[in-house]
Amino acid sequence: MKKLLNTLYITTLDTYLSLDGENVVVRKDDAALIRVPLHNLEGIVTFGYTGASPRLMGACVERGIALSFLTESGRYLASVVGPKQGNVLLRRTQYRYADDKALSATISRNMLAGKLYNSRWVLERAVRDHEMRVDVSRLKDVSSFLAESIRRVYDAGNLDSMRGIEGEVAARYFSVFDELILQNKEDFFFQKRSRRPPLDKVNALLSLAYTLLASEAASAISAVGLDPFVGFLHQDRPRRRSLSLDLIEELRSVFADRFVLSMINKRQVEASDFLQKESGAVLLKDDSRKKFLAAWQTRKQVKIEHPFLKEKIEWGLVPHVQALLLARHLRGDLNEYPPFLWK
């Protein structure tokens, strides 16, 4: 359990939420684990099949506290919200920003800067930890390009220019991605990014990791009252959760990419875990996908210090914190959106 930015996160499984006076009480096996005054909260987010009493739901509705239910893996299920919850006003602000290219650019600029910063430090970390096993010159060259591109993003005058810079950066970053694969190179190699469908084992793992991350970002966005389908950097398309794609940009390299590289370099996946279809698509086998998902859940429980909050949180809560910070910015509580900057 963790209270962040006036939102209580319940990650302990098999708990029950009840109301005691003016407090929410989290119980497990008839024991009270924590009690928090309702007047200190604007949201409660539960993971797993946590139950909640009707009295607590009613109290949350009366006080305008959003009570959101997610599965253990982070998939959004539903929310109980009251008439005082500012979701309508928040979403109207989100839509105004999305319709105004200048306002969209103010948020997109920080998201992209976060992506470039984090991607750069993935490369720098590889140089630091594996200097004798990687091509230091190539990695340093791309790292310098990423550093310069951050300045270019802040100098860019519009969204199209930013998207162009992001495309260049992605190409340069993935041009050295194979350097980061240190084990089992005969089976796991990377030449270029292929998406629909993934055409090799590494791309198959990356695509699955990005899908999981985007799904969790969509849940986090929904839980704070924003619309995951309306983004700022990614344009609207039918059935595309554009804001989810915006939010994960700064997390792709530091969470998804590093997770995939860890799976490969620790030999947690082997060539026998994959199958290739007649179309050329390479996919994880069903049993191997379960192994991947289990490792993903384990990684989400690793604790880090959030660079903006300066608090220890689980990796799995990072999308939720970033969604909260974005909502705070749109409400006017923060002057700008603070991206997640890892080092």
Side-chain angles (χ1 to χ4, degrees):
M1 283 158 286
K2 185 74 174 176
K3 182 183 173 187
L4 296 167
L5 298 172
N6 294 329
T7 297
L8 177 65
Y9 292 92
I10 297 124
T11 55
T12 304
L13 301 180
D14 301 321
T15 54
Y16 186 78
L17 279 61
S18 63
L19 183 69
D20 182 11
E22 290 295 309
N23 302 297
V24 55
V25 182
V26 182
R27 300 181 180 276
K28 183 171 183 177
D29 299 329
D30 297 325
L33 302 180
I34 189 174
R35 61 178 61 228
V36 180
L38 287 176
H39 68 263
N40 288 339
L41 297 175
E42 62 182 39
I44 302 171
V45 179
T46 72
F47 292 80
Y49 297 101
T50 306
S53 72
R55 288 186 64 228
L56 175 63
M57 293 185 193
C60 288
V61 166
E62 290 174 358
R63 292 162 178 77
I65 299 171
L67 174 58
S68 300
F69 298 91
L70 284 71
T71 67
E72 181 182 350
S73 64
R75 181 171 58 85
Y76 179 78
L77 294 173
S79 293
V80 178
V81 296
K84 296 180 183 178
Q85 180 69 18
N87 289 356
V88 172
L89 296 179
L90 177 61
R91 290 196 179 200
R92 285 175 64 88
T93 302
Q94 177 189 358
Y95 300 150
R96 283 198 295 269
Y97 268 67
D99 288 338
D100 188 313
K101 291 185 177 181
L103 290 175
S104 290
T106 62
I107 297 176
S108 300
R109 188 174 284 112
N110 283 4
M111 288 178 167
L112 272 182
K115 174 178 182 173
L116 304 189
Y117 179 95
N118 292 335
S119 298
R120 179 174 181 239
W121 282 108
V122 167
L123 303 183
E124 291 288 341
R125 179 73 68 93
V127 170
R128 186 196 71 183
D129 295 344
H130 307 289
E131 183 177 2
M132 303 303 295
R133 304 179 67 184
V134 299
D135 188 329
V136 173
S137 177
R138 288 188 69 204
L139 293 183
K140 282 289 188 180
D141 181 60
V142 175
S143 176
S144 297
F145 179 77
L146 291 173
E148 175 60 29
S149 295
I150 295 174
R151 291 187 283 271
R152 291 171 59 207
V153 163
Y154 280 106
D155 290 339
N158 54 59
L159 285 169
D160 288 338
S161 297
M162 292 181 202
R163 294 181 184 118
I165 295 169
E166 193 278 333
E168 294 175 25
V169 166
R172 291 292 298 274
Y173 171 77
F174 281 121
S175 74
V176 295
F177 195 78
D178 191 65
E179 289 288 332
L180 309 181
I181 301 172
L182 306 176
Q183 298 287 342
N184 209 359
K185 296 279 284 189
E186 65 275 11
D187 292 320
F188 292 91
F189 50 85
F190 185 90
Q191 295 177 331
K192 65 178 182 178
R193 182 78 178 106
S194 56
R195 298 176 177 83
R196 300 181 184 90
L199 299 177
D200 58 58
K201 300 176 187 65
V202 179
N203 272 294
L205 295 174
L206 288 174
S207 290
L208 179 54
Y210 293 160
T211 297
L212 292 172
L213 191 58
S215 178
E216 291 171 13
S219 295
I221 290 164
S222 297
V224 301
L226 291 168
D227 186 341
F229 290 91
V230 179
F232 309 114
L233 179 63
H234 290 83
Q235 296 176 316
D236 294 347
R237 288 184 187 172
R239 297 184 298 279
R240 182 166 84 170
R241 294 179 293 193
S242 297
L243 186 57
S244 305
L245 298 179
D246 287 355
L247 198 67
I248 70 169
E249 287 296 350
E250 61 212 61
L251 302 179
R252 286 179 186 265
S253 60
V254 291
F255 191 84
D257 292 358
R258 291 180 69 239
F259 173 76
V260 166
L261 290 167
S262 177
M263 291 281 289
I264 296 170
N265 291 334
K266 292 181 178 180
R267 294 185 177 273
Q268 293 175 299
V269 287
E270 302 290 343
S272 59
D273 289 317
F274 298 82
L275 59 86
Q276 184 166 4
K277 295 194 169 184
E278 292 182 2
S279 64
V282 177
L283 304 172
L284 272 173
K285 295 178 181 177
D286 289 342
D287 289 344
S288 301
R289 189 180 299 111
K290 293 176 183 178
K291 179 173 64 174
F292 185 95
L293 294 174
W296 179 267
Q297 289 301 106
T298 299
R299 178 61 65 91
K300 283 168 55 180
Q301 295 169 14
V302 174
K303 290 192 175 182
I304 59 165
E305 181 177 284
H306 191 279
F308 182 79
L309 299 183
K310 304 300 181 184
E311 290 190 43
K312 289 281 188 180
I313 66 169
E314 298 172 353
W315 259 116
L317 289 182
V318 171
H320 294 267
V321 172
Q322 295 308 119
L324 272 172
L325 292 172
L326 177 58
R328 289 271 173 120
H329 169 59
L330 292 173
R331 287 194 180 107
D333 298 333
L334 293 172
N335 290 333
E336 59 181 354
Y337 167 71
F340 179 83
L341 303 177
W342 174 85
K343 187 174 180 180

